[in-house]
Amino acid sequence: MSTDTSTPTSPAEGQAAANTRKVFIKTYGCQMNVYDSVRMGDALANEGYVPTEEMEEADLILLNTCHIREKAAEKVYSALGRLRDMKQARHAVGRELMVGVTGCVAQAEGEEILRRAPVVDVVIGPQTYHRLPDALRRARDGQRVIDTDYAVEDKFEYLPVTDKARIRSRGVTSFLTVQEGCDKFCTFCVVPYTRGSEVSRPVHQILNEARQLVEGGVREITLLGQNVNAWRAEGPDGREWSLGDLLYQLAEIPGLARLRYTTSHPRDMDDRLIEAHRDLRSLMPYLHLPVQSGSDRILKSMNRRHTAADYLLLIDRIRQVRPDIALSGDFIVGFPGETDRDFEDTLRIVEQVNYAQAFSFKYSIRPGTPGADMADQVPEDVKAQRLERLQALLLKQQAEFAKSCVGKVIDLLLEKPGRNEGQVIGRSPWLQSVNVDAKTSQIGDIIPVRIIGTGPNSLFAEPAQDLVGT
Ligand code: 5AD
Ligand code: SF4
């Protein structure tokens, strides 16, 4: 899943002195980048930086970049071109502007960024965010700093723990990275090269962070990892724990009402994780489980190491233990060698699974990945036609899923003020946005509501206190 968001980290709690520096962080890409931006914001807050949502006000601008699909690097260079003009204008009036590039383009491009974009002061890869404050200090002394090592120390041990007020200001849902990197080497994907090999955070770190989030008012935590269900670590009982075990433990934290995790690989959906879906009421009935293609030939060439039938069987097993589970997926059309027939197989698997939500992309050549060197690259117009057909089908399923919710009474986690006075936007168990009449003082509560209608990107509901207890 990909979004472009600017991530305000938190309001300036008590430290907005006139001489404090302001930081603007622009976040591209996946949820992990959103989480990373928050953690970088925390590290900078300890250095006296306060976040701003206005780029013009910022003394430091960070672009936290994504490299997953085409033109990512070019987009960053053109953004940097605009920043160059801004920096020149600032210098003309004697004001400082520092510019940093972080994230996956920083990792992939490295030195090239310093060479092509003189405006950049620091380039920091995803594994060295804890060194950002130090890099900025060196940059202020006039150095241009690049740090894209795979740090030997654990960055999470060094990233500062934030305070309750700051957590509270971010809302009642939170991401928590438990795993990073990927050893799967799907032939289309750049992630093993930008995020490195699979690393799992230790149990105690995850539990501590989760408890802190809950103390700061968080009710729902989404565990993140490029391959989140490949998470493995030694448990307090000395056994090797898998993600299922971790979820059972997290479910014990009082006040933590909801758990989710993303993104999973079908090969790592083990029995314990499926049992967790059966047993844990706080584990939400929503699973993002990308299959990418419905053709066994293409799945093989993508190095997915499972067949379409394996995937369908897995979905059956999960649905048996949690019949109300909503499925979401990712798809790539036009992978090298994909024929019309292969594409029909993809449409068929979509029909068979019936997704509540999905993301679909045209295959995009990533230099350095095996897919880039494969013969039979699919022409752009064919990719575009296939994407259009697939998206029409997926949108139809998404709309049908939304309609099937109408009339149901569901638990709604009230998340943020709605567009109109007296309205609040909540999150359904199936990750839908739901508008309901409620007071903003109720944000953080989970209330029963009846779904009464659907909009283009959200649902409408009315309170249903009479029917279910909170
Ligand atoms: N081209 C198109 N889509 C891609 N994805 C990953 N790499 C590529 C690529 N080279 C998609 C996959 C993945 C999602 C995060 O992005 O579907 O699951
Ligand atoms: Fe993009 Fe992947 Fe990096 Fe996330 S991990 S920012 S999706 S390249």
Side-chain angles (χ1 to χ4, degrees):
M1 180 175 359
S2 257
T3 49
D4 280 6
T5 43
S6 25
T7 309
T9 40
S10 72
E13 252 93 42
Q15 39 178 320
N19 59 353
T20 44
R21 294 194 174 88
K22 292 189 177 159
V23 55
F24 174 90
I25 308 181
K26 168 87 181 161
T27 308
Y28 302 84
C30 62
Q31 293 105 322
M32 193 172 291
N33 267 13
V34 174
Y35 174 84
D36 287 343
S37 290
V38 168
R39 296 298 301 258
M40 282 191 275
D42 288 345
L44 292 171
N46 282 14
E47 302 285 310
Y49 283 90
V50 297
T52 174
E53 289 177 57
E54 301 298 328
M55 200 187 257
E56 292 297 327
E57 281 187 351
D59 305 287
L60 167 65
I61 295 176
L62 293 178
L63 304 182
N64 192 12
T65 59
C66 171
H67 204 233
I68 194 91
R69 278 174 293 274
E70 214 172 2
K71 304 204 182 97
E74 289 316 309
K75 265 197 234 162
V76 173
Y77 286 118
S78 62
L80 289 172
R82 291 190 293 276
L83 292 182
R84 182 191 53 206
D85 300 341
M86 199 167 151
K87 193 170 192 167
Q88 272 164 4
R90 288 279 184 93
H91 280 177
V93 294
R95 250 190 87 194
E96 175 193 85
L97 175 64
M98 299 257 278
V99 175
V101 179
T102 63
C104 295
V105 174
Q107 189 65 39
E109 291 277 298
E111 293 275 353
E112 183 68 7
I113 297 179
L114 292 185
R115 207 181 55 73
R116 275 184 63 180
V119 68
V120 174
D121 301 291
V122 294
V123 175
I124 302 276
Q127 303 314 328
T128 41
Y129 290 150
H130 55 301
R131 298 187 193 151
L132 177 63
D134 181 53
L136 288 169
R137 272 191 293 271
R138 280 156 54 206
R140 270 205 302 278
D141 289 341
Q143 286 181 50
R144 298 180 81 205
V145 184
I146 176 162
D147 192 348
T148 53
D149 290 351
Y150 289 107
V152 280
E153 72 274 17
D154 173 1
K155 71 176 165 190
F156 293 109
E157 288 288 358
Y158 290 85
L159 281 168
V161 171
T162 192
D163 56 57
K164 263 194 220 168
R166 224 179 286 145
I167 296 173
R168 205 168 284 286
S169 71
R170 293 186 196 131
V172 297
T173 61
S174 180
F175 293 130
L176 197 177
T177 291
V178 300
Q179 182 279 339
E180 255 191 279
C182 180
D183 296 338
K184 298 283 186 302
F185 290 94
C186 298
T187 52
F188 52 80
C189 190
V190 80
V191 167
Y193 313 97
T194 54
R195 288 272 172 175
S197 52
E198 285 175 10
V199 178
S200 295
R201 290 179 70 187
V203 175
H204 70 90
Q205 248 187 32
I206 297 168
L207 293 177
N208 283 345
E209 192 169 326
R211 285 193 200 103
Q212 270 161 10
L213 290 171
V214 173
E215 280 165 20
V218 167
R219 307 296 319 275
E220 173 178 307
I221 292 182
T222 302
L223 306 181
L224 295 182
Q226 269 89 31
N227 247 302
V228 71
N229 58 345
W231 179 89
R232 295 274 178 289
E234 189 182 311
D237 55 5
R239 264 191 325 116
E240 180 176 81
W241 279 17
S242 70
L243 187 69
D245 299 300
L246 180 65
L247 286 165
Y248 277 90
Q249 192 68 41
L250 286 164
E252 298 289 319
I253 297 179
L256 179 50
R258 290 179 163 193
L259 288 163
R260 305 177 185 275
Y261 60 92
T262 197
T263 289
S264 298
H265 192 290
R267 285 194 39 118
D268 292 317
M269 287 301 299
D270 65 6
D271 292 348
R272 188 70 174 149
L273 190 48
I274 297 175
E275 282 163 19
H277 279 285
R278 180 194 63 197
D279 296 340
L280 302 178
R281 288 304 96 182
S282 56
L283 181 55
M284 290 294 97
Y286 181 94
L287 177 61
H288 183 65
L289 194 62
V291 67
Q292 313 295 356
S293 166
S295 153
D296 286 344
R297 226 171 52 80
I298 296 298
L299 285 170
K300 187 150 199 274
S301 154
M302 286 177 164
N303 192 33
R304 294 288 292 175
R305 293 182 296 135
H306 64 78
T307 62
D310 294 335
Y311 181 81
L312 289 170
L313 201 68
L314 181 59
I315 300 284
D316 272 355
R317 286 182 56 212
I318 300 165
R319 279 192 166 141
Q320 254 163 37
V321 301
R322 194 72 213 242
D324 63 339
I325 201 154
L327 288 160
S328 149
D330 290 340
F331 296 88
I332 296 177
V333 298
F335 187 74
E338 186 187 73
T339 61
D340 284 342
R341 210 172 175 167
D342 294 315
F343 176 62
E344 296 296 329
D345 287 344
T346 297
L347 294 177
R348 197 170 51 239
I349 205 167
V350 170
E351 296 277 11
Q352 283 167 308
V353 172
N354 198 9
Y355 288 92
Q357 234 216 333
F359 305 89
S360 46
F361 313 98
K362 289 191 274 187
Y363 171 66
S364 150
I365 293 180
R366 307 314 293 133
T369 61
D373 300 324
M374 287 184 187
D376 300 329
Q377 296 287 337
V378 174
E380 273 309 305
D381 58 329
V382 175
K383 286 187 202 171
Q385 282 161 20
R386 289 182 186 162
L387 187 67
E388 204 175 311
R389 273 185 74 192
L390 177 61
Q391 288 189 336
L393 175 59
L394 290 167
L395 277 176
K396 183 168 97 80
Q397 292 190 345
Q398 196 173 320
E400 278 165 4
F401 178 71
K403 260 191 250 141
S404 75
C405 296
V406 175
K408 280 190 187 152
V409 173
I410 64 161
D411 282 341
L412 191 67
L413 170 58
L414 299 178
E415 215 184 342
K416 54 189 173 199
R419 202 176 294 160
N420 304 323
E421 182 81 30
Q423 275 197 333
V424 170
I425 299 175
R427 204 181 267 212
S428 82
W430 306 287
L431 214 51
Q432 298 141 304
S433 281
V434 181
N435 301 283
V436 68
D437 287 344
K439 293 194 276 292
T440 47
S441 59
Q442 289 174 279
I443 287 173
D445 289 354
I446 295 176
I447 62 162
V449 300
R450 184 185 292 99
I451 306 294
I452 52 173
T454 64
N457 294 309
S458 60
L459 302 175
F460 300 97
E462 61 186 17
Q465 263 86 353
D466 46 322
L467 289 170
V468 196
T470 44

